[in-house]
Amino acid sequence: MTENEASALAASRLCAFLDKTDGSDLGHLSLPSKRIQDDFEAGDLGTVDTSVGAIKTRVRQWFASGKIWQSLFMRVYEVSDTLIDDAIVDRSFEEADLGMVHAAGRLNESLKRIAFELANEIDSLSSTLSPGTVAMTASDPSAVLAARNALRALALQKEPVNPFRLARNVWAARKQLAQSDIVENIPRHIHISLVQFWSIHAAALAGATASTLYLDAPTHVAMAGGLGVSILAFVWLGRRWAQLRTSLYEHLDSQGAFLRTELAATHKSVLQSELDSPISACVKEITGLQCLVAALVAVGGAVGYFKSSSVASLVSGLAFGALISLSVQLAAGNSKSYSLLPASLCLILCLVMGGRFLDSKKFMPAGMVAATSLVMAVRYALKAV
């Protein structure tokens, strides 16, 4: 890769960060942050589903173990406390807890890596572009140095993101689960079911006795009828507890979905506050970076001149670069409507260089200039709205 190609790639990455909207737009992430957010939602958030599945498994095993049948002897609160502590609350969301700690660690690594790479690219851009180019004459060398140093300071931070920033949401979810209405009401549900269960048995015994004493029904028939009612009572009780388990599952699914949404929003806000905002604050101080398209155009014209002795490429490149640089400076110090000027110039440049790229099928320099011009045209068009 030539020095001009390296500088163009560096400029394009810096432009990608400058292209993000203002910090007030909480719905927008820079391209690197969006990739990190997508990876988080596709991977780490799966630990929430794993945790919910683990709680469901423990509840199912608890019901299948027969422990709940110990409450037949009215040890309701002791048995239900075992269900709540061992199967539902104890070690709940443990996979999500660990997953969020690891995600915070990767956030710290990503912030340091991106800040370090952008600092190196500022070095690359400032060293490969000559002081006479539009981008560097528009930049204060001290601002370039300050931006590079600020990015390196970001890269050297020990832990920009607290390792437990995301895990705190999981801890809150565990606490909410322990204090939720359905979990708190488990003893009452079991108690009411048992009262009804024993009432059915008592009614079956009374019916069998009455049919034998007053209706002269054979004893074996009365006993068979009472036994049948008792069996039905056990079936009914099993169904009632199956309904209780289903209600628990639905509650866990609902809380898991809420936790996923909450964690995704928290992760996104961390990216905005700890990665996008600090890095953008460092980069946007370099006024010349807002003329990077101008620099690319000028460099592209120079490359065309040296490769094919095309005076037209040199003149058009320098002229377009100067016009874009001037229009950007006007847009920076005036009302939003002035942003239409660089947007229009960048759009024209995109169409011209895009046509050349389609003809030549070579990304450098026509494709790079066309792509970067399109990004900047969209950016300034949005600013004018």
Side-chain angles (χ1 to χ4, degrees):
M1 182 182 292
T2 67
E3 288 187 348
N4 284 326
E5 289 174 340
S7 66
L9 290 174
S12 121
R13 265 182 66 86
L14 292 169
C15 274
F17 249 100
L18 285 175
D19 187 52
K20 73 182 292 294
T21 56
D22 295 334
S24 58
D25 184 3
L26 298 180
H28 190 86
L29 290 174
S30 65
L31 192 59
S33 292
K34 189 176 186 304
R35 284 197 292 264
I36 296 171
Q37 179 74 10
D38 290 343
D39 290 342
F40 174 77
E41 293 183 7
D44 295 298
L45 278 185
T47 58
V48 175
D49 297 331
T50 303
S51 289
V52 170
I55 301 172
K56 285 182 177 181
T57 299
R58 288 197 288 270
V59 170
R60 183 170 60 252
Q61 290 173 345
W62 189 90
F63 273 92
S65 67
K67 291 182 180 179
I68 195 170
W69 295 101
Q70 297 174 10
S71 59
L72 287 174
F73 302 102
M74 304 305 287
R75 296 165 54 192
V76 176
Y77 292 95
E78 178 184 344
V79 173
S80 58
D81 285 345
T82 302
L83 170 62
I84 294 169
D85 293 337
D86 293 347
I88 298 177
V89 177
D90 183 44
R91 295 167 59 198
S92 63
F93 293 112
E94 56 186 348
E95 292 291 335
D97 197 347
L98 291 173
M100 293 308 106
V101 173
H102 293 157
R106 284 192 293 276
L107 269 177
N108 284 324
E109 293 174 0
S110 297
L111 190 152
K112 296 176 182 179
R113 174 179 53 79
I114 293 172
F116 187 74
E117 288 176 357
L118 289 176
N120 288 341
E121 284 166 359
I122 287 179
D123 279 342
S124 172
L125 187 64
S126 61
S127 62
T128 55
L129 291 179
S130 66
T133 59
V134 178
M136 299 315 294
T137 55
S139 299
D140 180 1
S142 62
V144 176
L145 181 62
R148 184 194 63 190
N149 292 340
L151 287 170
R152 292 198 184 281
L154 282 175
L156 293 175
Q157 290 183 88
K158 185 176 180 181
E159 285 184 343
V161 180
N162 187 299
F164 304 108
R165 175 82 175 267
L166 298 170
R168 289 194 184 102
N169 295 77
V170 181
W171 302 342
R174 179 183 290 116
K175 184 177 181 181
Q176 291 170 2
L177 176 61
Q179 297 175 350
S180 61
D181 291 339
I182 188 168
V183 173
E184 287 184 342
N185 289 326
I186 283 175
R188 183 175 64 84
H189 289 306
I190 296 178
H191 193 274
I192 292 174
S193 299
L194 289 174
V195 169
Q196 294 171 338
F197 173 79
W198 288 116
S199 297
I200 294 172
H201 275 287
L205 179 61
T209 302
S211 62
T212 302
L213 294 178
Y214 299 109
L215 301 178
D216 295 328
T219 303
H220 67 278
V221 173
M223 290 180 62
L227 180 61
V229 173
S230 296
I231 293 173
L232 289 176
F234 276 100
V235 174
W236 172 84
L237 185 62
R239 289 181 63 85
R240 282 296 300 268
W241 284 341
Q243 292 173 357
L244 173 61
R245 185 177 62 190
T246 301
S247 298
L248 279 170
Y249 285 178
E250 291 175 352
H251 178 74
L252 286 168
D253 289 336
S254 174
Q255 190 174 28
F258 176 77
L259 180 58
R260 282 179 63 97
T261 303
E262 192 176 47
L263 285 169
T266 302
H267 190 269
K268 186 174 183 178
S269 69
V270 170
L271 282 172
Q272 290 168 333
S273 62
E274 303 296 339
L275 194 151
D276 281 359
S277 295
I279 291 180
S280 294
C282 296
V283 174
K284 72 181 180 181
E285 293 301 322
I286 311 176
T287 57
L289 290 178
Q290 303 203 9
C291 296
L292 282 172
V293 174
L296 287 174
V297 175
V299 171
V303 170
Y305 175 74
F306 286 115
K307 281 189 173 181
S308 58
S309 299
S310 173
V311 177
S313 295
L314 179 62
V315 172
S316 61
L318 293 176
F320 248 106
L323 286 172
I324 292 175
S325 176
L326 179 61
S327 66
V328 167
Q329 295 303 314
L330 286 173
N334 294 282
S335 62
K336 288 185 177 180
S337 60
Y338 278 81
S339 297
L340 290 174
L341 183 56
S344 302
L345 288 171
C346 288
L347 182 58
I348 294 171
L349 183 62
C350 175
L351 294 175
V352 172
M353 299 306 289
R356 292 188 179 182
F357 168 68
L358 293 176
D359 291 337
S360 65
K361 306 299 182 184
K362 294 181 180 180
F363 186 68
M364 290 298 296
M368 173 63 76
V369 174
T372 311
S373 300
L374 178 60
V375 170
M376 297 302 288
V378 172
R379 178 190 177 208
Y380 281 104
L382 291 175
K383 288 180 68 176
V385 175

